[in-house]
Amino acid sequence: MSTPRSLFHFAFNVTDLDAARRFYGGVLGCTEGRSTTTWVDFDFFGHQISLHLGTPFPTADTGHVGDKLVPMPHFGLILEQPAWQALADRLSAAGTHFVLPPQLRFPGQPGEQWTMFFRDPFGNPIEVKGFASLDTVYNT
């Protein structure tokens, strides 16, 4: 059975739509979609995120990945390594504070990946992974 084409949608809270536009549109380079006075949509690398005015969800560094603790819950995306590197460079140039700086994780293993964790201006944690090929994401 083939998987139907779909887009992922994630809605979450932010406290300032103008600051959200500067970060998601300006720093991350996401294209803005529809909006009202209480929410704004962005094309988050081919998927839809909806940022609504409200209190961001609480997070804690409780996710054990290798020898690191990462923020939970979090969301993110997976890019091929050259696009991941370009985004890491863009975030670094913008002065982004990294929870987990850009680095290689699981070298030489089937799950080898580049990763970085950072928070948006409202504390929402984001992970971006980079793989040599998206065809290897689920390799065991």
Side-chain angles (χ1 to χ4, degrees):
M1 178 175 145
S2 67
T3 304
R5 183 175 183 275
S6 62
L7 298 176
F8 183 77
H9 164 80
F10 181 52
F12 56 97
N13 289 329
V14 299
T15 58
D16 181 320
L17 295 181
D18 289 332
R21 285 180 168 102
R22 286 191 298 275
F23 182 75
Y24 286 93
V27 175
L28 293 182
C30 299
T31 302
E32 185 173 331
R34 296 175 297 131
S35 66
T36 70
T37 58
T38 62
W39 57 265
V40 60
D41 284 345
F42 285 97
D43 177 341
F44 186 70
F45 301 85
H47 302 281
Q48 184 191 49
I49 56 173
S50 296
L51 288 59
H52 292 255
L53 288 176
T55 303
F57 54 82
T59 65
D61 293 345
T62 58
H64 292 268
V65 180
D67 62 348
K68 308 286 185 198
L69 286 175
V70 299
M72 295 297 292
H74 64 264
F75 74 100
L77 67 144
I78 301 170
L79 300 170
E80 288 191 329
Q81 207 285 326
W84 178 91
Q85 187 62 59
L87 183 59
D89 293 345
R90 183 180 183 129
L91 288 163
S92 294
T96 302
H97 169 74
F98 291 97
V99 173
L100 188 64
Q103 61 189 265
L104 181 63
R105 184 165 56 183
F106 312 125
Q109 298 178 41
E112 180 177 287
Q113 60 191 262
W114 290 89
T115 189
M116 59 183 149
F117 271 88
F118 52 93
R119 293 180 185 270
D120 74 6
F122 318 100
N124 295 308
I126 302 169
E127 177 184 20
V128 180
K129 298 178 182 184
F131 279 76
S133 168
L134 296 183
D135 294 334
T136 65
V137 170
Y138 298 107
N139 285 4
T140 56

